[in-house]
Amino acid sequence: MLSAVDFVSLQAFMDVLPEDRLAVISIGDPAQLPPSQFYGHAHALRLEFLDNELEDLAIHGIPAEALCSLEQVESAVHFIRELHASPQSYRLVVHCRMGASRSAAIALVAHSMTQCHFPRWAEANYANKHVLLLAQDILGIQIAVPPFPYDYDYLPSALAI
C-alpha cells in the first residue's frame, strides 16, 4: 500500500538514505545519469524528460521527444499501482532537479490514484501541466491542482514524509 508521497529537489534527494519501505521515482533530463542515491533504493523508477509544456515546442524549438511521453506516464502509473497493491506499506519520494513541477506532477498523480498522505499537496501548484494531462487521459480522472499562493517556500529543503 502506498501510505505517503512527497516531492523534492535533486539536492534534497541527495540526503535521502535508502530504506526498505521507501520507493523512488527519479526524474532527470534526457541522457542525464541518475543521482548516485538512486541506485541504493530497492523500489525505484527512472524517467527522463524536460520540464516543458506543449506550447514550448514551437516557442523554444524543443523536439517533441524531449517532452514527457505517454509511455513514461504509463510506467509511472504502473509503478504506483504496484506499490499500492502491495500488502507492505510504502512511502514514495519523487524528485526532479528543482523539485517544483515534474516531481510535483507525478506526486499529484500518485495522490490522486491512492489518496495517500501528501503533506505538501498545497505546494504542488506548479505541477507540470503536460504530465498531468497525460495522466488524466490514462486514468480517466481529473487531478486537482492546488491554487497558487504567493507566500510559501518555493523549494522544499527536506523530505516531509
Side-chain angles (χ1 to χ4, degrees):
M1 171 183 89
L2 191 59
S3 62
V5 65
D6 198 8
F7 64 101
V8 294
S9 68
L10 174 59
Q11 182 179 351
F13 178 71
M14 295 307 290
D15 293 332
V16 176
L17 298 176
E19 297 176 27
D20 289 342
R21 302 274 163 76
L22 183 66
V24 172
I25 297 178
S26 171
I27 305 171
D29 292 344
Q32 178 186 33
L33 290 173
S36 57
Q37 296 296 87
F38 173 77
Y39 297 103
H41 293 274
H43 302 283
L45 174 67
R46 176 69 174 177
L47 302 174
E48 294 179 2
F49 57 90
L50 293 179
D51 187 15
N52 291 96
E53 309 286 348
L54 281 174
E55 58 268 15
D56 295 330
L57 293 177
I59 296 170
H60 302 292
I62 297 168
E65 304 82 46
L67 289 180
C68 184
S69 69
L70 187 65
E71 293 78 18
Q72 288 178 316
V73 176
E74 285 173 338
S75 66
V77 165
H78 178 74
F79 183 76
I80 293 162
R81 281 186 175 142
E82 282 190 342
L83 289 173
H84 198 55
S86 172
Q88 296 179 351
S89 179
Y90 288 98
R91 295 175 302 133
L92 174 63
V93 59
V94 186
H95 90 79
C96 63
R97 186 180 55 207
M98 297 300 291
S101 54
R102 291 178 289 182
S103 57
I106 296 295
L108 284 170
V109 171
H111 175 69
S112 295
M113 290 174 62
T114 66
Q115 298 306 303
C116 64
H117 180 60
F118 188 6
R120 259 201 273 270
W121 180 86
E123 296 173 28
N125 45 48
Y126 200 64
N128 183 293
K129 293 178 192 81
H130 176 66
V131 172
L132 292 175
L133 288 172
L134 291 173
Q136 288 175 157
D137 286 347
I138 292 167
L139 298 170
I141 61 171
Q142 277 296 112
I143 298 175
V145 179
F148 192 83
Y150 295 95
D151 61 348
Y152 76 95
D153 185 14
Y154 178 68
L155 296 175
S157 58
L159 192 62
I161 57 171

